Amino acid sequence: MSRQAAQRVFLSLMLLLVLSGLDQTILSTALPSIIDALHGRDLAPWVFSAYLLASTAVIPLYGKLADRVGTRPLLLWATGVFALGSVACALAGSMTALVAARGLQGVGGGGLMTLAMLSVAHLFPVEERGHRMGLLGAAYGLSTLVGPLVGALLLESLGWRWAFWLNLPGSALALGILARHRV
């Protein structure tokens, strides 16, 4: 793979980690509006927990499967599941549906975190990997910090469902780049 192609793939990995990081915190400011819209105060904590539990539970599975089938097909699949979960969240008509959709989204999100890091090992020589992984970690960390602010801005201007619709353009862009290049 050319240096330029590796850089495009790396930027798409960074974008996926930003989306995954945002998804962990973006709803903190929107949750009261979600509760009002979907009438599910009892399930409110599960809006966060379903995503975090699902994403954490699948990390070892993605690692093991990546050893067997490769990183690229799993990364494409995880991105698709994450996007599908985002659509399901945006369209949820009840708190139960939202919690289930967040679990699906978390299954994809857990793959994004794991597989992005594994992809760095395939894309770059050993002497660059630490720097690249540091950049991925910084992007992820910053996205979790700005998530509440982004959530508040979306809530004020477009509504809570846009916290999920926001994932689609970035996921589509990353899928397009990853589909063209071997990871």
Side-chain angles (χ1 to χ4, degrees), residues 3 90 98 129 157:
R3 185 85 176 144
L98 179 61
R129 290 180 192 161
S157 57

Side-chain angles (χ1 to χ4, degrees), residues 84-129:
L84 180 64
S86 296
V87 170
C89 287
L91 297 175
S94 69
M95 193 64 92
T96 303
L98 179 61
V99 168
R102 287 287 283 169
L104 177 63
Q105 194 184 34
V107 168
L112 299 181
M113 291 185 284
T114 303
L115 298 167
M117 296 295 184
L118 289 175
S119 296
V120 168
H122 298 289
L123 289 170
F124 299 102
V126 173
E127 54 274 359
E128 281 187 57
R129 290 180 192 161

Side-chain angles (χ1 to χ4, degrees), residues 29-93:
T29 51
L31 193 57
S33 295
I34 294 170
I35 291 169
D36 288 345
L38 300 181
H39 311 292
R41 184 170 301 282
D42 295 351
L43 294 176
W46 284 101
V47 172
F48 295 101
S49 299
Y51 182 92
L52 293 173
L53 285 171
S55 65
T56 302
V58 297
I59 287 172
L61 180 61
Y62 277 115
K64 184 65 172 173
L65 286 174
D67 289 341
R68 292 188 179 191
V69 299
T71 305
R72 183 175 179 257
L74 287 175
L75 192 54
L76 292 169
W77 189 83
T79 303
V81 170
F82 179 77
L84 180 64
S86 296
V87 170
C89 287
L91 297 175

